[in-house]
Amino acid sequence: MSSISSNEISLSPPIEKIGVLNSPISRRPKSFYSQISTNKSAGLKCQFCLECFDLLDIFEHEKGLSTYVTVSVSNVAHSNHGNQYGRKRWAVIGRTYIVENNCNPQYHDKEFEINDVVEDAGVVLIQTYALHPANEMPVCIGTCQIAIKEMLHCDSIVTKELRVGEWQKGNVVIYMRAKKESKYPQIEDIVEYCTIADVDEPAAMSFNEDDFKNTYFKDVLGNIDRQKYHFNLRQQLSRSLRVSEEMFELATSFNIPALYIRLLCEREHQNMVVLQSMVEGFSEEVSSIAAVSRATKISQYRDELAQLGLCSKHSFKKSEWKGQSECKWAPVNLHAQVLEVNTVDQKTNISCSRDQYCLLAVGAMAGHWDKFKNGGLVSILGKSKDGEKFAERREKYRVLRKIEELLHTYSRTENSLDSDKRLAKDIVSDLITLSKEAVTRTALEGLQKTLNPDKQLEIMTLSADLEKIVKSIKVSSKESLSEVCRNYCLHAQRALIWSITQLELDNREHFLNILNRFEACFSQLLSTVVSGFIVNLCFRSRDVVFEQQLRDKVIPVMFESLLSTHGDESGMLEDMQFVIRHISNIRLQLAKGEDSEQVSVTKVTGTQFDVCVVISVPEGVWDLLPEEVKNGEDINFYGLFFSHGINEQQTIAYKISETGQQDKICEQFLEDLQSYIDTYVSPNLNLFDFKVDNSLSNNIERLKYLYKATKRGKCSDFIVLAEQIGRDIGCVRCTSCKSAKDRTSMSLTYEYCNILCKQHDFHTDDIPPVLEQFRRDGTRYHNTFKNIGSYKYCFNKLQCKMLPPIYKPPPGTFGDGAQQT
């Protein structure tokens, strides 16, 4: 998988003068950082936590300093090669939370760890930052370095001076912790960090999820960001929770859109070849129009593919790129979030259970590059004849795909038609059904009118009642039956392609722009849905609910939108709403990869409206799949989409009664949800883990009640309960706002807390400090830096006031004057 920072960068570690720091994370060589932070097989070298004292208050602020510390590692083996300037290269392994108004801050709740991949001759760099009281920008106030060898051979406590140049600015204390030691400075607070060694699963568990992920999915899941926590349980004093929060970038962000564009290009080329085969029947003018139409689209798709190729050197699409047409096909800020919860016995330090929860964060699947002056696809296609043309084109491609499948079937079964009368009957029956469809008849009639007179007779003959022609042919007459059916399919194929071409000739540029907008939004949906399936295949491969979904060959996908219904976001919501309607047109096929060692997406087939994605699965994953999906049958998706705005724009929408769009989406969501439960959940209720006092039926009734509350104002309980139901029935879960960075982070972090409470007996009174910890130090906070180069949620004070209480960011984590992106 390509990394967003594949070019290695050299750094000088100390900051020699006081000044604003962009943050060392922006300049770290990510491949090196990944090796340090994610190599779980490596033995743990050392663990430590920090505190500072006597920090110099450079701002002379009456309340004192608000500070945090970052820890970086330099591997001498790396820094001695390929570095013409002779400078070390630093990899940030973590940072503490912010301690406010204190010149003697303690960071005991944050634990750092260094693995064997860093050599003993390596060096640790500790940098202390203070937030400027005026603009809350981080300023480096002191640094120090310590050799790893010194840390390994010292006593349990090491004290170092923090300096800037020649001047001492304070002191830092390093508390060392041995690998098997169970205690370090006592902490009364509820939250503390734990180590990899503490959360290893019991030896009795034979299936290792980490080895499974690293062995078969490392080409898809990349650039991991991991944070670890230790939570005590009030209700079970003998047990605690060791929580690991992981964020992955996905290679499918650019891989699948590229394959989809290639499919569109090949589709247009195939259409052009078919039209060229009909040149003799057309006039010269008609032939020229058809050729130019197809050639232009082929050239456009090739250009789009080349532009996307330039973007694909990165492993995800940043929020600030969403308005750029070059990468419009890729989803915005797509990341997989995995919450792993280990319940650990305090006495034996053995993991009693291990649960993993998969979530996806993605920006709005919308035409950001095309703006929203006229709304989204729902409005654009609903207020003009373009909607009728779009629906007609979609229907023609549906029939065309079936015609082409029959042609392919004839080529494979031609020799069997004579001996297998049942096969012949089934094939001919399908063709007769297609011949009776209005789309097919209209296309053949249109082609007949366009052709030269000497070519019309053949079409007129085939336009007659195909059923009567077939009945007049004896089934044993293989050649006659095959010839009639094949000729009919070929002429129907040509007629449909020509009819599709004619649709584009009227107001061509405008209609093609609409089509291009749909294709790009559908590409974002396609990438998100397939990525979600692969992530769930990795982390839920032994989940009985997921196995049943594979047997049913239907995967439910629940989309949560936090977009408002006022301004541009209303157009984004329309685009999402429109493309999610087409999720049923996405199909998956799993194929055993004979020579492949990794799960990978190999090809995308079909049309622009109806695609089939083929995923190559190595033998180690293939053996875990149920037999029902090993025969090449399609796996379908069932879309569930709800939306509830939470920002200041939604406050305006409620004031001016502009919430009808949101109401319609949620009404449809409740209908679709009930339909899915009745069809797929109720017959297999024994597989689901519903608590008696919190049953699924009760939750559905409460959700319907809360929906009525959403018509009157913001109701965060509706969002929380919908998320819980989605997890309960085993949905692939996707959370989205404009760019999946700010509101999405607030939603995901609260969902983490809700998971701990509902599934792991975590006390609700302990949610506030844990929620703040997730938002200050978790992977979603790091996601803000990956997107905009700053550790700030893009909310200003006014926007924060308008957010529901559970979605407000902690003080110091958002910026005044910042705009949501």
Side-chain angles (χ1 to χ4, degrees):
M1 173 175 180
S2 60
S3 171
I4 196 166
S5 57
S6 57
N7 297 326
E8 306 223 339
I9 306 170
S10 300
L11 299 178
S12 293
I15 307 300
E16 295 297 340
K17 59 182 180 180
I18 297 177
V20 175
L21 183 72
N22 289 332
S23 176
I25 293 182
S26 63
R27 301 176 295 180
R28 71 179 185 264
K30 256 195 176 180
S31 56
F32 178 46
Y33 170 57
S34 264
Q35 187 184 20
I36 292 176
S37 63
T38 68
N39 189 340
K40 199 152 183 177
S41 63
L44 206 59
K45 273 289 190 184
C46 59
Q47 307 162 359
F48 59 94
C49 63
L50 304 171
E51 71 176 52
C52 299
F53 64 92
D54 294 341
L55 295 179
L56 180 63
D57 188 354
I58 60 173
F59 303 122
E60 298 181 352
H61 195 260
E62 58 182 11
K63 292 184 178 181
L65 294 173
S66 295
T67 60
Y68 67 91
V69 177
T70 65
V71 177
S72 307
V73 174
S74 174
N75 191 332
V76 173
H78 280 261
S79 61
N80 285 342
H81 301 284
N83 190 338
Q84 57 179 321
Y85 302 106
R87 295 180 295 177
K88 293 185 177 71
R89 293 183 304 191
W90 298 91
V92 178
I93 62 172
R95 50 156 285 180
T96 68
Y97 44 86
I98 297 173
V99 174
E100 297 181 342
N101 308 326
N102 194 338
C103 290
N104 300 291
Q106 296 181 354
Y107 308 101
H108 296 163
D109 294 1
K110 171 66 178 180
E111 184 176 282
F112 300 94
E113 55 192 40
I114 300 176
N115 295 327
D116 271 342
V117 292
V118 181
E119 297 182 358
D120 291 348
V123 179
V124 174
L125 170 67
I126 299 173
Q127 297 172 299
T128 303
Y129 299 98
L131 300 181
H132 196 287
N135 55 21
E136 295 190 341
M137 290 297 292
V139 178
C140 182
I141 62 172
T143 70
C144 73
Q145 295 186 43
I146 180 171
I148 293 176
K149 184 177 293 186
E150 180 182 350
M151 295 175 68
L152 292 174
H153 296 89
C154 70
D155 294 330
S156 58
I157 298 177
V158 183
T159 302
K160 289 283 184 180
E161 294 181 352
L162 292 169
R163 310 185 70 87
V164 175
E166 299 179 355
W167 304 98
Q168 181 178 351
K169 302 296 182 180
N171 301 275
V172 61
V173 181
I174 305 171
Y175 290 94
M176 300 301 301
R177 179 186 180 195
K179 180 176 180 181
K180 295 298 182 181
E181 190 177 355
S182 60
K183 294 182 179 180
Y184 62 105
Q186 293 296 317
I187 303 169
E188 298 298 328
D189 192 57
I190 181 175
V191 183
E192 71 181 49
Y193 275 72
C194 69
T195 68
I196 290 176
D198 289 332
V199 299
D200 281 347
E201 60 182 66
M205 293 187 178
S206 59
F207 183 81
N208 191 304
E209 286 90 348
D210 297 309
D211 290 344
F212 183 73
K213 174 186 66 181
N214 296 332
T215 302
Y216 301 118
F217 292 86
K218 63 182 180 182
D219 284 356
V220 178
L221 306 174
N223 287 345
I224 181 176
D225 191 339
R226 179 188 289 123
Q227 293 293 326
K228 297 180 182 297
Y229 313 84
H230 178 191
F231 304 131
N232 296 318
L233 293 175
R234 294 190 184 188
Q235 298 167 334
Q236 299 184 42
L237 298 179
S238 62
R239 296 191 173 185
S240 62
L241 300 180
R242 307 294 173 88
V243 178
S244 173
E245 177 197 5
E246 297 176 331
M247 179 173 67
F248 300 91
E249 295 171 8
L250 296 154
T252 44
S253 290
F254 289 97
N255 180 332
I256 292 176
L259 291 173
Y260 180 61
I261 298 174
R262 191 172 289 115
L263 165 67
L264 298 179
C265 191
E266 291 172 353
R267 175 81 257 179
E268 289 302 324
H269 183 266
Q270 181 180 344
N271 291 351
M272 187 169 69
V273 170
V274 172
L275 290 173
Q276 287 175 344
S277 68
M278 303 162 59
V279 167
E280 295 180 0
F282 288 135
S283 65
E284 184 176 346
E285 180 182 359
V286 172
S287 301
S288 175
I289 292 174
V292 170
S293 172
R294 305 266 70 86
T296 302
K297 293 200 70 177
I298 291 172
S299 176
Q300 176 188 349
Y301 287 134
R302 285 176 176 169
D303 291 343
E304 304 255 11
L305 188 59
Q307 292 174 351
L308 186 68
L310 296 176
C311 301
S312 62
K313 62 183 180 180
H314 308 290
S315 49
F316 79 103
K317 176 179 170 181
K318 290 185 178 182
S319 62
E320 58 189 18
W321 299 343
K322 63 179 178 289
Q324 299 179 8
S325 61
E326 293 83 358
C327 52
K328 63 186 178 185
W329 299 83
V332 179
N333 194 19
L334 177 62
H335 284 80
Q337 302 283 152
V338 178
L339 189 71
E340 179 184 297
V341 183
N342 285 266
T343 303
V344 180
D345 187 284
Q346 295 277 46
K347 295 181 180 179
T348 62
N349 202 34
I350 294 178
S351 177
C352 305
S353 65
R354 181 178 183 177
D355 299 285
Q356 292 176 314
Y357 304 90
C358 307
L359 304 167
L360 252 66
V362 63
M365 295 164 278
H368 302 279
W369 74 96
D370 202 26
K371 309 302 180 186
F372 303 95
K373 182 179 179 181
N374 299 315
L377 286 169
V378 174
S379 295
I380 294 171
L381 294 174
K383 297 178 181 179
S384 65
K385 293 183 179 179
D386 293 325
E388 298 176 5
K389 290 171 63 178
F390 184 89
E392 184 180 350
R393 179 187 176 92
R394 181 177 55 200
E395 183 67 11
K396 288 178 177 178
Y397 263 119
R398 181 187 66 82
V399 177
L400 177 61
R401 181 179 64 82
K402 292 183 177 180
I403 291 287
E404 291 175 342
E405 286 178 354
L406 282 177
L407 274 173
H408 181 63
T409 302
Y410 290 139
S411 65
R412 291 188 294 107
T413 61
E414 181 177 358
N415 296 331
S416 304
L417 289 179
D418 185 34
S419 58
D420 193 337
K421 294 185 179 181
R422 179 176 297 180
L423 176 63
K425 182 179 179 180
D426 291 341
I427 292 176
V428 172
S429 176
D430 291 341
L431 183 57
I432 290 174
T433 302
L434 288 173
S435 71
K436 291 181 178 180
E437 296 210 22
V439 172
T440 311
R441 290 184 174 274
T442 304
L444 285 168
E445 291 171 3
L447 179 62
Q448 179 182 330
K449 294 176 182 178
T450 308
L451 288 173
N452 294 328
D454 57 338
K455 290 287 181 179
Q456 291 183 2
L457 182 60
E458 189 177 4
I459 298 297
M460 289 176 63
T461 302
L462 286 170
S463 297
D465 193 339
L466 181 65
E467 188 172 9
K468 293 181 180 179
I469 298 175
V470 171
K471 285 182 178 179
S472 66
I473 301 173
K474 295 180 180 179
V475 176
S476 60
S477 179
K478 177 190 64 174
E479 295 182 356
S480 298
L481 180 63
S482 177
E483 184 179 353
V484 169
C485 293
R486 185 184 300 280
N487 285 342
Y488 188 89
C489 285
L490 287 172
H491 283 291
Q493 180 192 34
R494 294 169 179 174
L496 287 165
I497 291 175
W498 170 242
S499 180
I500 290 169
T501 303
Q502 284 182 307
L503 278 177
E504 300 170 358
L505 299 182
D506 182 23
N507 200 4
R508 172 180 169 76
E509 184 175 352
H510 172 70
F511 185 63
L512 289 184
N513 285 339
I514 296 175
L515 282 178
N516 188 252
R517 184 181 185 125
F518 167 79
E519 290 167 351
C521 294
F522 186 73
S523 173
Q524 297 173 34
L525 173 71
L526 179 66
S527 181
T528 302
V529 168
V530 176
S531 299
F533 174 82
I534 293 175
V535 171
N536 278 261
L537 181 63
C538 175
F539 292 97
R540 294 177 59 201
S541 57
R542 298 177 72 86
D543 180 2
V544 292
V545 174
F546 186 66
E547 288 180 9
Q548 183 60 46
Q549 291 169 352
L550 290 176
R551 291 190 182 95
D552 294 335
K553 294 181 282 293
V554 176
I555 306 295
V557 185
M558 180 179 283
F559 297 91
E560 168 191 339
S561 164
L562 301 171
L563 294 170
S564 70
T565 54
H566 179 72
D568 284 352
E569 288 195 6
S570 176
M572 299 175 200
L573 189 57
E574 286 188 356
D575 281 351
M576 282 191 69
Q577 179 185 359
F578 190 82
V579 295
I580 289 174
R581 290 178 191 169
H582 292 76
I583 193 174
S584 59
N585 296 337
I586 300 174
R587 296 165 289 126
L588 282 182
Q589 286 184 359
L590 301 180
K592 186 176 182 181
E594 300 296 339
D595 301 323
S596 175
E597 297 180 355
Q598 293 287 314
V599 171
S600 61
V601 178
T602 55
K603 63 179 178 179
V604 176
T605 62
T607 69
Q608 64 188 140
F609 301 103
D610 192 322
V611 299
C612 180
V613 180
V614 180
I615 299 179
S616 176
V617 178
E619 186 174 0
V621 181
W622 184 262
D623 293 341
L624 297 175
L625 298 175
E627 293 299 325
E628 288 82 353
V629 297
K630 293 183 179 180
N631 56 6
E633 291 189 31
D634 294 342
I635 299 173
N636 300 293
F637 292 97
Y638 192 104
L640 299 166
F641 175 46
F642 73 92
S643 180
H644 190 64
I646 61 173
N647 66 354
E648 77 287 351
Q649 293 294 318
Q650 190 61 30
T651 303
I652 297 174
Y654 276 112
K655 292 291 184 183
I656 62 178
S657 301
E658 211 175 59
T659 61
Q661 179 186 3
Q662 177 176 285
D663 296 340
K664 289 179 181 178
I665 290 173
C666 290
E667 284 176 6
Q668 187 63 49
F669 164 69
L670 292 173
E671 291 179 14
D672 293 341
L673 179 61
Q674 189 65 61
S675 176
Y676 178 81
I677 290 172
D678 293 342
T679 306
Y680 297 103
V681 177
S682 297
N684 303 294
L685 209 56
N686 59 308
L687 298 177
F688 296 86
D689 183 22
F690 300 128
K691 296 183 178 179
V692 176
D693 60 341
N694 198 24
S695 68
L696 181 61
S697 58
N698 290 341
N699 282 341
I700 293 295
E701 290 304 316
R702 176 165 169 73
L703 188 67
K704 292 177 181 178
Y705 173 79
L706 291 173
Y707 161 64
K708 296 177 182 178
T710 64
K711 294 184 176 183
R712 300 187 295 271
K714 297 176 185 177
C715 180
S716 53
D717 287 346
F718 176 82
I719 301 174
V720 173
L721 185 56
E723 292 171 346
Q724 181 183 332
I725 294 173
R727 292 192 306 271
D728 287 345
I729 64 177
C731 289
V732 175
R733 283 271 299 110
C734 301
T735 300
S736 177
C737 59
K738 186 191 297 186
S739 58
K741 180 170 57 65
D742 307 308
R743 283 168 285 177
T744 296
S745 296
M746 299 300 105
S747 178
L748 287 174
T749 48
Y750 189 81
E751 187 169 1
Y752 290 165
C753 292
N754 197 40
I755 289 172
L756 296 178
C757 290
K758 299 295 183 182
Q759 304 298 132
H760 300 280
D761 298 322
F762 196 67
H763 202 282
T764 53
D765 291 346
D766 295 331
I767 284 183
V770 172
L771 184 60
E772 181 169 340
Q773 192 80 4
F774 279 138
R775 290 174 178 173
R776 283 190 183 277
D777 305 304
T779 62
R780 295 308 303 175
Y781 197 44
H782 298 173
N783 184 265
T784 63
F785 184 85
K786 292 176 68 174
N787 279 274
I788 62 174
S790 174
Y791 280 104
K792 291 287 182 183
Y793 297 116
C794 289
F795 300 112
N796 56 39
K797 291 183 178 179
L798 175 63
Q799 290 170 332
C800 285
K801 288 182 179 179
M802 299 293 185
L803 291 171
I806 63 174
Y807 296 123
K808 293 182 185 291
T813 62
F814 60 93
D816 287 339
Q819 296 295 320
Q820 295 173 31
T821 59

